[in-house]
């Protein structure tokens, strides 16, 4: 990609473990997320992908280290992590359905606004919000309630909300799940356009989507990192093939 | 709708700059309907101001005007409930506490006025040994009393709210806690007869800030203050509801966790609404006392708090005008019905409450947007005041 690999912003995860009463959903993960690339996180169900992101965004407690700009994310509260520039989406799109598309984006953009300014009504639309509306292609729907958007559009709106926050690290949890193939393609192109100097981590099950857009892939299995590399490298990896074939066989035998 | 700019960005890694965008076409010109959406509320506030401040004083008898003044005082507390509950999603069942803080602060000052310089309120000699607790002393000062009416509920609600909201207590648990607060407050008042007048409360006042309470002109002015504050609070809430904070509060009500992951601490957002609501209730209480001539634990206990809430629910909790209209309607219905049916009037109120909740969960104020949504409107915008959790289907327009 265009960004330099002498990156200043990177998220370094060391020995991250999430322990649910003895069950290690994430088990000693080491991972370095560099800026400027679409980093796909794949793995069978229960591999710990979402839990990993939950731990990095303060939703569940993890041990180990996750360093970003001299902060250890594991000791921070969720909203402070977001303020540091680390945003995420959820598997089910969760936009504010009663508010308009514009209001959704404006609320997201407000995180960098002084609190005392929030007693005023929005005057003109902030430039950042207008740009995001264009980037995610929802400018024509700016004044419609977000609740009427199609599934794919809601996901784009979520991405837009991260954009107006200028999130440097974006965790996108199964963003293209349930999308039509056309929507998937548009989403992929959208991500390529916005990645710039950001780190975009995409949790995904769709292998075609991954093959097409991933710059880098990390495969997780039972809470651990199984393999890392480019799409070609990962696909050629014997263990990855076993895990995917293995789980398929297991699933078949277990009915 | 498709991602139109995608097509031009097919070259690998190209078009990475989101700033390269076609000129915005999402901005809209002001249309008459949009102006009505924005300023219709101001016109309605103007109408209410004329009715309350011009029509009522010239047309109503002193007795009716006094009553309307009391309803206005209750409406001030109700408007706070509208903010905290309707917009903030916090079912505040204990606003009587804050109403009581303001009311008792005012009543203490008036008792001391009646007792004269250096004097001791009459009930203290009657129930106790005629010595006054030292914390009464500052209330001799009118400026201190006015300061306390605002500052006391702000401090108390901040501490209570911080303890409750920061621990992420919400829903029914929040409601029960606030109701317990009202029960405890009333119990405390009853138990401290020597200091607060106990069950009888504080009454027999003669002057308020030096003005004779029995002078008809003073009475009319007391009414004007209550009605004027209703108009002022409406303007404050109108601005608050259209502000970014207002949007944020509704968003927090509807999806608290989402707000957290946008970098806000939802507890702070809710705390602000809770404190403002408490101050509004306190000012309402302070205005209530000189008009009613009495404040007692029955005005501030759990059932008084619920009566406030009933008015808000009837009127429409999330709308700007619902709580005011509801409070005045319940107050009016209460006194008219109790004149005719001294013992059964609560059943009427209960029945009305059930009918409204079943048929109009958004309150009477939600009738207006329901009607408006039937007219073809050039604006398709849906502002943020809908009763999301009960009436998801209705696009709501600021009432």
């Amino acid at each position: 990609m265009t960004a330099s690999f002498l990156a200043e912003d990177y998220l370094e995860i060391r020995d991250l473990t999430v322990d649910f009463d003895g069950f290690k959903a994430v088990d000693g993960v080491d991972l370095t997320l560099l800026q400027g690339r679409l980093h796909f996180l794949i793995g069978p169900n229960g591999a710990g992908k979402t839990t990993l992101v939950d731990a990095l965004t303060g939703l569940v407690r993890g041990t180990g280290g996750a360093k970003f700009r001299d902060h250890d994310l594991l000791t921070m509260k969720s909203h402070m992590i977001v303020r540091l520039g680390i945003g995420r989406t959820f598997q089910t799109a969760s936009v504010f359905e009663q508010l308009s598309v514009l209001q959704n984006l404006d609320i997201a953009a407000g995180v960098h606004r002084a609190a005392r300014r929030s007693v005023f009504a929005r005057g003109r639309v902030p430039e950042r919000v207008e740009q995001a509306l264009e980037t995610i292609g929802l400018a024509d729907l700016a004044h419609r309630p977000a609740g009427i958007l199609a599934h794919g559009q809601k996901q784009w709106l979520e991405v837009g909300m991260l954009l107006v926050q200028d999130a440097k690290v974006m965790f996108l949890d199964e963003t293209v799940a349930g999308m039509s193939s056309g929507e998937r393609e548009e989403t992929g192109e959208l991500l390529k356009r916005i990645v710039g100097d950001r780190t975009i981590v995409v949790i995904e099950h769709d292998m075609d989507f991954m093959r097409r857009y991933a710059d880098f892939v990390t495969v997780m299995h039972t809470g651990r990192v199984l393999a890392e590399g480019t799409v070609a490298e990962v696909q050629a990896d014997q263990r990855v093939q076993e895990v995917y074939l293995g789980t398929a066989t297991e699933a078949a035998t277990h009915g | 709708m498709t991602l139109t700019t995608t097509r031009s960005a097919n070259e690998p890694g190209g078009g990475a700059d989101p700033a390269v965008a076609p000129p915005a076409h999402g901005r809209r010109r002001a249309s008459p309907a949009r102006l009505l959406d924005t300023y219709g509320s101001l016109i309605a506030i103007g109408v209410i101001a004329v009715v309350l401040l011009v029509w009522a004083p010239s047309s109503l008898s002193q007795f009716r005007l006094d009553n309307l003044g009391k309803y206005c005082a209750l409406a001030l507390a109700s408007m706070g409930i509208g903010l905290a509950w309707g917009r903030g999603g916090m079912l505040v069942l204990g606003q009587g506490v804050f109403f009581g803080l303001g009311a008792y602060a005012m009543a203490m000052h008036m008792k001391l006025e009646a007792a004269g310089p250096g004097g001791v309120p009459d009930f203290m000699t009657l129930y106790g040994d005629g010595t006054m607790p030292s914390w009464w002393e500052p209330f001799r000062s009118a400026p201190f009393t006015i300061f306390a009416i605002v500052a006391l509920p702000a401090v108390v609600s901040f501490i209570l709210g911080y303890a409750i909201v920061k621990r992420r207590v919400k829903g029914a648990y929040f409601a029960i806690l606030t109701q317990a607060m009202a029960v405890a407050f009333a119990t405390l008042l009853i138990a401290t007869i020597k200091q607060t007048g106990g069950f009888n409360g504080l009454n027999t006042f003669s002057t308020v800030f030096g003005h004779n309470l029995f002078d008809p002109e003073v009475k009319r002015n007391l009414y004007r203050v209550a009605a004027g504050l209703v108009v002022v609070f409406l303007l404050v809430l109108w601005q608050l509801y259209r502000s970014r904070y207002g949007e944020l509060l509704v968003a927090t009500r509807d999806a608290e966790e989402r707000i957290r992951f946008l970098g806000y601490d939802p507890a702070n957002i809710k705390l602000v609404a809770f404190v403002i609501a408490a101050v509004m209730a306190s000012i309402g209480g302070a205005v209530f006392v000189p008009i009613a001539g009495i404040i007692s634990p029955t005005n501030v206990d759990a059932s008084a708090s619920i009566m406030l809430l009933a008015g808000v629910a009837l009127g429409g909790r999330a709308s700007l005008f619902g709580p005011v209209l509801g409070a005045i309607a319940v107050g009016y219905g209460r006194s008219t019905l109790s004149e005719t049916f001294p013992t059964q009037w609560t059943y009427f109120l209960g029945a009305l409450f059930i009918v409204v909740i079943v048929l109009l969960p958004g309150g009477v104020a939600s009738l207006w947007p329901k009607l408006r949504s039937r007219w073809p409107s050039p604006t398709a915008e849906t502002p943020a005041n809908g009763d999301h959790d009960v009436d998801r289907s209705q696009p709501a327009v600021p009432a």
Side-chain angles (χ1 to χ4, degrees):
Chain A
M1 296 297 292
T2 49
S4 151
F5 279 100
L6 299 168
E8 292 161 25
D9 274 350
Y10 58 91
L11 176 51
E12 192 172 30
I13 302 161
R14 288 291 168 263
D15 195 27
L16 177 62
T17 300
V18 178
D19 193 326
F20 293 130
D21 293 327
F23 168 70
K24 290 194 165 78
V26 177
D27 190 1
V29 166
D30 292 333
L31 197 58
T32 304
L33 303 173
L34 295 177
Q35 66 181 154
R37 59 187 190 184
L38 287 175
H39 192 140
F40 274 61
L41 198 54
I42 65 166
N45 282 328
K49 308 179 294 287
T50 299
T51 311
L52 175 71
V53 174
D54 285 351
L56 295 176
T57 54
L59 203 58
V60 299
R61 281 280 150 241
T63 56
K67 220 167 146 193
F68 182 72
R69 295 182 181 170
D70 292 328
H71 290 81
D72 184 3
L73 303 183
L74 302 184
T75 63
M76 295 171 68
K77 288 187 171 172
S78 298
H79 66 278
M80 294 312 292
I81 294 174
V82 175
R83 283 172 175 261
L84 199 60
I86 297 171
R88 72 173 293 183
T89 66
F90 292 86
Q91 285 183 22
T92 49
S94 51
V95 295
F96 304 108
E97 311 226 322
Q98 295 258 316
L99 300 178
S100 70
V101 170
L102 178 66
Q103 284 172 322
N104 269 275
L105 290 170
D106 189 62
I107 282 178
V111 78
H112 299 304
R113 237 186 327 256
R116 62 184 141 70
R117 284 181 57 206
S118 66
V119 299
F120 301 110
R122 178 179 41 253
R124 60 187 304 279
V125 179
E127 202 171 318
R128 199 177 260 189
V129 170
E130 228 160 58
Q131 282 173 8
L133 277 171
E134 294 297 336
T135 308
I136 60 174
L138 296 181
D140 289 338
L141 298 170
H143 296 281
R144 307 301 300 278
I148 63 147
L149 295 181
H151 170 74
Q153 292 172 324
K154 282 184 187 166
Q155 292 285 5
W156 297 333
L157 178 54
E158 290 231 49
V159 173
M161 287 159 82
L162 297 181
L163 267 183
V164 295
Q165 298 204 314
D166 199 22
K168 289 301 175 200
V169 181
M170 296 182 178
F171 292 106
L172 308 180
D173 199 349
E174 296 194 21
T175 295
V176 301
M179 282 188 183
S180 69
S181 61
E183 286 175 326
R184 276 164 202 243
E185 191 180 320
E186 283 173 355
T187 307
E189 297 300 329
L190 170 67
L191 296 182
K192 274 168 75 172
R193 261 183 297 138
I194 64 174
V195 65
D197 61 349
R198 302 173 209 280
T199 307
I200 299 186
V201 179
V202 186
I203 298 181
E204 206 42 73
H205 278 297
D206 181 338
M207 292 303 132
D208 287 335
F209 185 69
M210 178 204 80
R211 273 192 280 277
R212 198 151 163 206
Y213 295 104
D215 295 316
F216 197 81
V217 182
T218 298
V219 186
M220 284 185 70
H221 180 52
T222 60
R224 295 162 188 270
V225 174
L226 188 68
E228 279 188 302
T230 62
V231 174
E233 284 166 3
V234 166
Q235 276 184 318
D237 192 298
Q238 196 63 42
R239 290 166 303 168
V240 175
Q241 290 172 3
E242 272 168 25
V243 163
Y244 273 90
L245 291 172
T247 47
T249 336
E250 271 171 41
T253 47
H254 288 296
Chain B
M1 188 56 218
T2 55
L3 290 167
T4 44
T5 47
T6 307
R7 305 299 173 206
S8 60
N10 274 342
E11 67 275 21
D17 185 5
V20 186
H25 48 280
R27 215 179 301 155
R28 300 188 317 167
R29 299 267 166 266
S31 67
R34 185 154 164 73
L35 284 175
L36 187 67
D37 278 348
T38 313
Y39 296 106
S41 297
L42 278 187
I43 296 167
I45 292 175
V47 171
I48 288 178
V50 169
V51 169
L52 285 181
L53 291 168
V54 180
W55 174 79
S58 63
S59 314
L60 295 182
S61 69
Q62 186 66 59
F63 173 71
R64 291 287 170 207
L65 200 61
D66 272 355
N67 275 345
L68 187 55
K70 276 189 258 178
Y71 313 150
C72 284
L74 294 171
L76 296 177
S78 302
M79 288 157 89
I81 296 176
L83 172 68
W85 182 33
R87 300 285 172 132
M90 293 173 281
L91 182 49
V92 282
L93 281 177
Q95 287 308 87
V97 172
F98 303 115
F99 186 82
L101 285 178
Y104 270 87
M106 189 66 162
M108 283 160 70
H109 176 70
M110 288 162 71
K111 276 315 266 186
L112 290 169
E113 264 191 76
V120 169
D122 48 11
F123 72 91
M124 289 185 184
T125 338
L126 197 62
Y127 304 130
D129 53 7
T131 55
M132 193 172 74
S134 57
W135 51 269
W136 269 69
E137 202 56 52
F139 287 92
R140 279 193 202 281
S141 148
F144 176 85
T145 304
I146 292 172
F147 171 75
I149 286 165
V150 177
L152 207 59
V155 171
V156 173
S157 64
F158 182 82
I159 294 170
L160 286 172
Y162 193 88
I164 298 175
V165 179
K166 277 278 182 185
R167 280 164 207 271
R168 306 192 189 178
V169 174
K170 44 195 145 184
Y173 302 100
F174 180 92
I176 290 165
L177 262 176
T178 51
Q179 181 160 33
M181 214 165 72
V183 173
F185 185 59
T187 310
L188 178 73
L189 287 172
I190 291 170
T192 53
I193 189 166
K194 289 174 197 167
Q195 290 84 33
T196 66
F199 188 76
N200 300 325
L202 301 176
N203 49 41
T204 40
F205 311 115
S206 52
T207 55
V208 55
F209 299 135
H211 303 288
N212 182 359
L213 279 174
F214 300 100
D215 179 346
E217 191 49 36
V218 170
K219 285 185 158 210
R220 252 195 300 280
N221 281 337
L222 284 173
Y223 164 78
R224 288 196 182 102
V225 169
L229 281 171
V230 166
V231 175
V232 170
F233 278 23
L234 278 174
L235 288 170
V236 169
L237 287 183
W238 174 75
Q239 173 59 25
L240 206 58
Y241 287 174
R242 66 197 284 271
S243 73
R244 282 180 154 129
Y245 171 77
E247 288 177 356
L248 199 53
L249 184 63
V250 171
T252 307
R253 175 194 72 187
D254 292 349
E256 189 168 327
E257 286 310 305
R258 191 72 188 89
I259 278 293
R260 197 186 304 286
F261 284 97
L262 287 177
Y264 298 96
D265 187 350
N268 293 345
I269 298 164
K270 289 161 82 173
L271 193 55
V272 169
F274 187 64
V275 170
I276 295 176
V279 172
M280 286 184 157
S282 176
I283 293 174
V287 171
F288 178 82
V289 170
I291 299 175
I294 181 170
I295 186 73
S296 76
T298 48
N299 298 119
V300 305
D301 63 5
S303 55
S305 304
I306 288 170
M307 197 62 91
L308 283 173
L309 202 81
V312 176
L314 285 177
R317 61 197 153 132
S319 87
L320 176 57
F321 299 104
V324 179
L325 301 179
I328 293 177
V330 165
Y332 178 77
R334 188 177 174 173
S335 66
T336 353
L337 286 173
S338 63
E339 282 164 25
T340 327
F341 311 97
T343 51
Q344 299 98 334
W345 68 272
T346 46
Y347 296 106
F348 286 98
L349 188 65
L352 182 63
F353 191 69
I354 292 168
V355 168
V356 169
I357 293 301
V358 170
L359 297 180
L360 264 184
V364 177
S366 66
L367 270 177
W368 167 244
K370 270 185 208 286
L371 290 174
R372 270 214 55 186
S373 67
R374 296 185 178 213
W375 304 341
S377 161
T379 60
E381 184 173 1
T382 298
N385 65 339
D387 277 293
H388 154 87
D389 45 348
V390 284
D391 196 3
R392 198 181 263 276
S393 61
Q394 276 305 320
V397 169

